[in-house]
Amino acid sequence: GAVADSGKIVPMEPFTVNLSSGIGTSPRYVRMNVSIELEPGAPDAEFNIKLPRVRDTVINLLNSKKATDLNAPDGREQLKEEIKRSVNAFMLQSKLKGVYFTNFAISN
């Protein structure tokens, strides 16, 4: 059933990260909560061990984004895909199936 097809969901500590800003524009930042869904049957031990690297990856991706990127219609979906792809590149077993934003706010 549907429950068997879903993997373990791991909520992460909130992120508050500076976004990329152009010359002469005031710095913007994003605050967000992220939950990670692992592939069905994937153990979470490796994910927990590599959590600092996962957080670093998310922060680096956010640092490279402008507010306009994230406010674009598909901007957040694109970010989720980038997080998934970047993290899966260094996971051997704890592969990500999904990335969910449970809270997402960009400063003005």
Side-chain angles (χ1 to χ4, degrees), residues 1-71:
V3 175
D5 295 336
S6 60
K8 180 165 183 157
I9 294 200
V10 185
M12 297 176 71
E13 292 287 315
F15 290 87
T16 303
V17 183
N18 286 315
L19 296 169
S20 173
S21 55
I23 310 268
T25 59
S26 57
R28 309 274 296 272
Y29 63 88
V30 61
R31 297 174 72 136
M32 67 179 202
N33 292 60
V34 182
S35 287
I36 298 296
E37 182 184 3
L38 298 177
E39 289 281 0
D44 62 347
E46 181 191 16
F47 182 86
N48 292 331
I49 290 168
K50 292 183 176 174
L51 189 56
R53 191 169 173 188
V54 175
R55 288 191 66 86
D56 182 65
T57 299
V58 173
I59 290 167
N60 285 336
L61 282 168
L62 285 169
N63 282 154
S64 71
K65 300 284 183 190
K66 295 184 177 73
T68 49
D69 297 332
L70 297 177
N71 282 325

Side-chain angles (χ1 to χ4, degrees), residues 49-100:
I49 290 168
K50 292 183 176 174
L51 189 56
R53 191 169 173 188
V54 175
R55 288 191 66 86
D56 182 65
T57 299
V58 173
I59 290 167
N60 285 336
L61 282 168
L62 285 169
N63 282 154
S64 71
K65 300 284 183 190
K66 295 184 177 73
T68 49
D69 297 332
L70 297 177
N71 282 325
D74 59 344
R76 292 176 199 190
E77 291 307 311
Q78 210 172 326
L79 177 61
K80 290 176 188 177
E81 279 303 311
E82 288 176 33
I83 291 171
K84 188 169 123 177
R85 202 168 52 236
S86 302
V87 171
N88 279 342
F90 61 78
M91 286 293 174
L92 302 173
Q93 293 179 307
S94 298
K95 295 283 188 183
L96 276 52
K97 179 184 179 191
V99 176
Y100 305 104

